[in-house]
């Protein structure tokens, strides 16, 4: 079993964070359950299938690389369960950080995710000043939920941020 240890924050990144080249991400869900999901993702010329189980700081995660043909064959099954974003890699001393800038109906939402090697490292992390509220484990900010939100729910998320 693979796992990820990750903290998630709303953010307003400084201009220099978004100045570099980001990677367009297309993400669609094949299944969404109470505590598990299976999704397809395309980032640049990379395609993969990911299953995640659990919520919060530590979750199970399994990834399998796909060919473009495999991705295209399954993509129609994600209709109505998709989101698009641009992903930026951000160097931080504490761990691997990415900033996702959402597009489409989620435009304006920006989320920083930091992955850690251990729970103690995650717990000791001090967020940079441009990180906002922590949303680790808050269901409304899980990508599987964001792929299904209505326009009214998007407006409510924006008000909280």
């Amino acid at each position: 079993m693979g796992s990820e240890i990750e903290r998630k924050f709303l953010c307003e990144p400084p201009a220099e964070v978004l100045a570099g080249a980001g990677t367009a991400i297309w993400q669609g869900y094949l299944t969404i359950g109470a505590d598990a999901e299976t999704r397809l993702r395309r980032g640049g010329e990379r395609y993969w299938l990911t299953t995640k189980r659990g919520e919060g700081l530590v979750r199970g995660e399994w990834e399998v690389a796909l060919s473009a043909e495999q991705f295209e064959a399954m993509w129609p099954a994600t209709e109505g369960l998709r989101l698009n974003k641009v992903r930026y890699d951000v160097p931080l001393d504490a761990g691997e950080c990415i900033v996702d800038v959402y597009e489409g109906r989620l435009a304006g939402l920006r989320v920083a995710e930091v992955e850690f090697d251990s729970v103690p490292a995650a717990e000791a992390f001090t967020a940079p000043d441009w990180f906002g509220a922590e949303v680790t484990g808050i269901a409304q900010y899980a990508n599987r939920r964001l792929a299904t939100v209505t326009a009214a729910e998007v407006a409510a998320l924006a008000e909280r941020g």
Side-chain angles (χ1 to χ4, degrees):
M1 173 175 142
S3 66
E4 72 173 355
I5 303 167
E6 178 181 87
R7 290 180 64 185
K8 191 173 192 174
F9 301 83
L10 299 178
C11 68
E12 285 299 327
E16 60 268 16
V17 168
L18 304 180
T23 301
I25 303 286
W26 291 270
Q27 188 165 304
Y29 289 81
L30 295 168
T31 61
I32 298 175
D35 76 337
E37 65 192 57
T38 300
R39 68 181 181 211
L40 293 172
R41 186 184 282 170
R42 176 184 179 188
E45 294 305 313
R46 183 174 175 229
Y47 306 86
W48 63 105
L49 175 78
T50 304
T51 296
K52 292 190 178 195
R53 182 172 298 272
E55 295 180 355
L57 181 63
V58 182
R59 302 189 307 159
E61 179 181 60
W62 301 265
E63 286 189 348
V64 176
L66 299 174
S67 69
E69 294 78 15
Q70 290 169 317
F71 176 89
E72 293 298 333
M74 290 186 280
W75 187 246
T78 68
E79 184 69 39
L81 299 170
R82 297 178 182 162
L83 54 84
N84 297 328
K85 54 192 175 182
V86 177
R87 174 164 284 176
Y88 299 87
D89 293 316
V90 181
L92 288 181
D93 292 338
E96 178 183 331
C97 178
I98 53 107
V99 171
D100 286 334
V101 177
Y102 290 82
E103 298 182 325
R105 71 185 190 296
L106 297 170
L109 179 61
R110 292 177 171 88
V111 176
E113 297 178 356
V114 184
E115 287 196 21
F116 302 92
D117 293 333
S118 69
V119 171
E123 291 170 343
F125 176 68
T126 301
D129 292 343
W130 53 273
F131 279 30
E134 183 165 6
V135 294
T136 303
I138 298 176
Q140 293 89 341
Y141 293 96
N143 278 307
R144 68 181 185 223
R145 178 72 177 117
L146 293 174
T148 65
V149 294
T150 65
E153 291 168 317
V154 170
L157 286 173
E159 288 175 15
R160 287 186 209 142

